Amino acid sequence: MESFEGIHLDLSKLPGKCRIAESGLGWKPSGGGDTFTLDGSDIDGAQWSRAARGYELKILSRKLGVIQFDGFDQEDVDRVGKVFKLFYGINLENKEHALRGWNWGKAEFGKAELAFNVQNRPAFEIPYSEILNTNLAGKNEVAVELSLPVGGNETGTNGHLGGARSKGRKAGAARDQLVEMRFYVPGTATKKEQDEEGEDKSVDGSDAEEHNAANLFYETLKDKAEIGQVAGDTIATFLDVLHLTPRLVHQKATNYCGEIANDLLEVASMSTYPPLRQGQTQYPFLVMQFKREEEVLIDLNMTDELLEKYKGKLVAHYEQPAHSVVAILFRGLAGKRVVTPSKDFVSHHQQSGVKCSIKANEGHLFCLDKSFMFVPKPATYIAFEKVAVITMSRVGGAVSASRTFDISVTLKEGLGEHQFSNINREEQKPLEDFFEAKGLRTKNEMTEDSGALIAAALKDVDMASSDEEVVAARADRGSADEDEESVDEDFRTDSESDVAEEYDSAHESSGSDAEMADADGEADGPPNPRADERPKKKAKTSK
């Protein structure tokens, strides 16, 4: 038996001790925990190569796929190769990786992993257990989505959730995680057949058929990674079910727990763990919509022995609305409680939820017994025990504010808040009564806003009245200035004036004029009727 210290299992964060014996090998973390064991008869092959923590021993298992042990020293290769040859009759294959950094090579599908080779050397390998989904991103492009860890603790073993050996959780050991890769596959290719051992073999001669290389790559990867395959027989099939979130559901089998919310549209929401993922978007809830009056006739595809196992939970035949049958099946098979809207809440329109929006997404907020649920997109679940305070506020102009209001749900421990806007003002009283019945802390800012609005309105009225008085006063003063003249103390009337104007009838000519009259001999003559007339102006003559 050989023993090695400081060995990491499947990129685990903590090192451990690896022992190789004739019956098989085992690994135990240094800090304590579950031990991983592998029977010797399950080992199909072994490879030795350079790795990040020194050297890596990769074991190809018949049942578990690829198992990686890294942290070995260079001089350990002789000891490992000797015990594998002696105990299991397997030659340790020494593999060198391509270090050129090229992104152009050849993809090869092995028994347990996809290898990308550059000049006949592997640049990297992807175990099929790490592949979550794949799709055609273009005519010659294939996208491969990789599994993500559920939580931050990835140190368990033997397939326990959150452990390094749990399927599709190797990425949890790294700080930066690779979530997607894309392969450009041009041209055409010939489809290969598998032999009895599962290895690919080429088809020669006239039987060879050319296919689009990207499509062939996509179909082969789906088959190897078992994407879209369902284990076991189908129990019941529901046709024409509308999936609101996400739009496309095509992923590996996932554990579900049911949460059903009934409305006029009969919306069913199921929590998924781990969340479904498309690209970088995660969907923790699967939302479906059923027709309310649609009834289905379903005979479950179950044997009498299997029905006996679920006695009291399931029956062989159902003739009920589709949403009711779905809820019954999930409750019976998964053993999860079906959550329905609370009986303590009835909206103004006699519904179980209120219409509102999260940002630009319209939907319905349902009040459950211990939580809130918003559907369809983004499906949001808020447990009452995590709610710190609910703030009711009014946002918008005078017209919109009088018709709608907003609700902000602030979470405890600084976990953020959720805002639901554009709620009909008629729903305020039912919601307030429900919050009070559930003992939720609330804060109504609309009362403060109303007082502020009233004060502002009164202030505007006072300012308007004072402005009117000022304008009226200015208007009266302006008319007086235009119609009346100020008294001039230097001005005198005709009776007070000592000096006659030049053209008045009482005007007497100056001495020069009298002399001119005497000279003409007209001073003592009869009065001239034209004498009182205004003399004509002299015509101007140009010099």
Side-chain angles (χ1 to χ4, degrees), residues 209-247:
E209 183 179 356
E210 295 290 334
H211 297 271
N212 179 277
N215 290 338
L216 189 58
F217 183 97
Y218 167 71
E219 295 294 339
T220 305
L221 184 59
K222 282 179 56 180
D223 181 61
K224 292 285 188 179
E226 299 180 354
I227 297 173
Q229 297 184 5
V230 180
D233 298 328
T234 302
I235 296 177
T237 302
F238 297 87
L239 302 176
D240 300 328
V241 177
L242 177 60
H243 287 267
L244 301 179
T245 304
R247 291 292 184 180

Side-chain angles (χ1 to χ4, degrees), residues 85-216:
K85 181 65 176 178
L86 179 62
F87 293 155
Y88 316 125
I90 295 175
N91 293 323
L92 184 62
E93 183 182 1
N94 196 345
K95 274 206 169 185
E96 295 184 5
H97 286 82
L99 304 177
R100 292 182 176 272
W102 292 1
N103 65 342
W104 182 263
K106 183 179 181 181
E108 293 185 357
F109 294 93
K111 289 184 178 180
E113 61 185 2
L114 168 65
F116 184 81
N117 297 330
V118 176
Q119 290 186 336
N120 296 325
R121 291 184 178 183
F124 60 85
E125 302 96 349
I126 306 177
Y128 296 139
S129 60
E130 299 297 309
I131 297 176
L132 180 68
N133 195 15
T134 181
N135 58 77
L136 288 169
K139 182 180 179 181
N140 298 316
E141 191 173 10
V142 180
V144 179
E145 298 179 11
L146 305 179
S147 299
L148 288 178
V150 177
N153 299 323
E154 303 291 328
T155 56
T157 56
N158 287 337
H160 294 294
L161 188 62
R165 279 303 310 144
S166 58
K167 188 175 183 180
R169 298 296 178 270
K170 294 183 180 180
R175 176 176 298 179
D176 298 323
Q177 299 166 4
L178 181 64
V179 298
E180 184 179 270
M181 297 183 67
R182 295 204 174 193
F183 294 91
Y184 176 73
V185 190
T188 59
T190 304
K191 186 175 182 179
K192 296 182 179 181
E193 295 182 354
Q194 292 184 347
D195 54 18
E196 296 179 355
E197 297 181 356
E199 295 289 343
D200 292 337
K201 63 178 182 179
S202 301
V203 179
D204 300 328
S206 59
D207 295 336
E209 183 179 356
E210 295 290 334
H211 297 271
N212 179 277
N215 290 338
L216 189 58

